[in-house]
């Protein structure tokens, strides 16, 4: 997709991680169905049948994230002094391994303005954990798969 400079992984609790596109080795989605009445004007949003992502990490330390080590969440709210950008805090990639709660992937341009939002499948029986999400880290690749099984 042209003009995409970052993707933003958005989690169930509104935390997010901003990842530069050069760290995305593979990104694949199923059929995209547009939201007919998306509440945020000017943004395009879609539901996807599935989402597959392979993210590149440089070394194992980038996967060691403990949220209790920090006073603030990974939220881009005003006044939060902690960055949610992988470029500035590589270890926050580990947040993906700690929880199964990715809700949406946002596509951002160079100015971090939203281009498109893609919502991945979510198992409705659990409000905090996405039972459809699997992830694995091996040999510098963090593989994320979210699909109905």
């Amino acid at each position: 997709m042209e003009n995409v400079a970052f993707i933003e992984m958005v989690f169930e609790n509104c935390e997010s991680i901003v990842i530069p596109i050069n760290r995305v080795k593979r990104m694949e989605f199923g059929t995209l169905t547009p939201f007919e009445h998306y509440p945020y004007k000017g943004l395009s949003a879609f539901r996807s049948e599935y989402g597959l992502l392979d993210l590149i990490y440089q070394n194992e330390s980038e996967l060691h994230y403990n949220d209790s080590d920090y006073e603030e969440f990974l939220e881009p709210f005003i006044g939060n002094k902690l960055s949610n950008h992988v470029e500035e805090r590589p270890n926050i990639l580990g947040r993906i391994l700690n929880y199964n709660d990715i809700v949406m992937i946002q596509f951002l341009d160079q100015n971090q303005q939203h281009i498109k939002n893609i919502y991945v499948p979510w198992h409705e029986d659990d409000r905090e954990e996405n039972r459809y999400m699997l992830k694995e880290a091996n040999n510098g690749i963090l593989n994320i798969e979210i699909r109905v099984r």
Side-chain angles (χ1 to χ4, degrees), residues 39-110:
Y40 304 104
K41 298 230 186 265
L43 292 179
S44 55
F46 302 86
R47 288 185 179 93
S48 177
E49 296 175 321
Y50 65 87
L52 304 172
L53 291 102
D54 289 341
L55 306 177
I56 299 167
Y57 62 91
Q58 305 301 318
N59 60 60
E60 296 290 324
S61 68
E62 294 182 25
L63 303 177
H64 299 162
Y65 177 75
N66 183 353
D67 53 359
S68 64
D69 290 343
Y70 304 97
E71 293 181 24
E72 303 288 351
F73 294 106
L74 287 169
E75 293 181 58
F77 62 85
I78 295 172
N80 187 352
K81 295 175 182 79
L82 295 177
S83 173
N84 68 336
H85 288 255
V86 167
E87 292 173 307
E88 297 166 10
R89 294 175 59 206
N91 74 313
I92 62 177
L93 272 179
R95 164 69 173 78
I96 296 168
L97 288 174
N98 293 352
Y99 303 96
N100 289 341
D101 65 344
I102 294 175
V103 173
M104 169 180 46
I105 289 92
Q106 297 182 339
F107 295 83
L108 308 175
D109 66 16
Q110 191 63 42

Side-chain angles (χ1 to χ4, degrees), residues 7 22 32 81 96 132:
I7 63 167
N22 65 358
L32 299 180
K81 295 175 182 79
I96 296 168
Y132 296 142

Side-chain angles (χ1 to χ4, degrees), residues 1-5 107-109 115:
M1 177 185 294
E2 39 185 283
N3 300 324
V4 175
F107 295 83
L108 308 175
D109 66 16
I115 297 170

Side-chain angles (χ1 to χ4, degrees), residues 11-12 95-103 121-123 126-136 144-146:
F11 304 104
E12 172 274 330
R95 164 69 173 78
I96 296 168
L97 288 174
N98 293 352
Y99 303 96
N100 289 341
D101 65 344
I102 294 175
V103 173
W122 184 277
H123 195 286
D126 193 330
R127 296 180 64 189
E128 295 180 3
E129 183 173 311
N130 191 348
R131 297 181 194 174
Y132 296 142
M133 183 177 161
L134 300 173
K135 70 269 184 189
E136 179 181 48
I144 304 162
E145 178 180 343
I146 306 168

Side-chain angles (χ1 to χ4, degrees), residues 33-36 38 43-47 104 116-119:
T33 306
F35 276 83
E36 289 187 25
Y38 197 62
L43 292 179
S44 55
F46 302 86
R47 288 185 179 93
M104 169 180 46
K116 180 191 299 188
N117 297 341
I118 298 179
Y119 288 82

